[in-house]
Amino acid sequence: MRPRIRRGAPGGEGSLQGIELAHHLIDVVVDHMGADVVLLDLTAQGAFTDYFVIASIDNERQMRAVVDALDEAARAAGEPLRSEGLAGTGWVLIEVGDVIVHLFSPDRRRYYDLEGLWSRAPELVHIQ
């Protein structure tokens, strides 16, 4: 999948920004079999980031594949990627620009309930 490029965007000639970057990352997650994908808009919340992408991943192997694909997509879009967590723990956080992607095992997702915690944030996308 090739990223859509916005010329002259802040952060470099080839970088994706904001909502466009969030949608691109969602495409990557869905293409790699992420399930129950949600995009929350945190821009009005005064939060530390603009968007959360939250997805469920069925197993450790699949989670590693999604993390690798997101890393590749971030590089192609000219954005640095930072991550925390390990696939084997059932949770990986990936920060790309103003977007944070949370990949959870189904059990960890229910436990952390980010959608409930950030319930005031508008849900822009929900792919089941």
Side-chain angles (χ1 to χ4, degrees):
M1 169 184 291
R2 185 159 254 224
R4 291 173 285 138
I5 304 297
R6 184 186 341 177
R7 300 289 176 202
E13 186 174 301
S15 63
L16 297 168
Q17 297 294 314
I19 191 72
E20 188 176 36
L21 177 60
H23 282 287
H24 177 62
L25 296 174
I26 287 170
D27 289 342
V28 171
V29 171
V30 170
D31 287 349
H32 287 81
M33 306 303 288
D36 197 15
V37 180
V38 172
L39 173 62
L40 299 180
D41 181 350
L42 302 176
T43 55
Q45 304 298 314
F48 47 89
T49 191
D50 288 345
Y51 301 98
F52 270 178
V53 174
I54 305 167
S56 295
I57 307 295
D58 286 333
N59 60 62
E60 183 178 343
R61 184 174 173 191
Q62 182 184 7
M63 190 171 301
R64 282 195 302 266
V66 173
V67 170
D68 290 345
L70 288 168
D71 182 42
E72 184 178 318
R75 290 174 196 252
E79 294 287 342
L81 177 139
R82 289 178 291 283
S83 67
E84 293 184 32
L86 299 170
T89 66
W91 170 77
V92 176
L93 176 147
I94 298 172
E95 182 180 355
V96 182
D98 291 329
V99 181
I100 295 179
V101 180
H102 294 273
L103 303 174
F104 288 107
S105 67
D107 290 341
R108 291 282 184 195
R109 185 167 181 177
R110 281 188 297 276
Y111 177 79
Y112 287 107
D113 188 25
L114 290 184
E115 291 98 326
L117 183 63
W118 292 95
S119 62
R120 292 185 184 186
E123 186 178 285
L124 303 180
V125 172
H126 193 161
I127 302 168
Q128 294 188 350

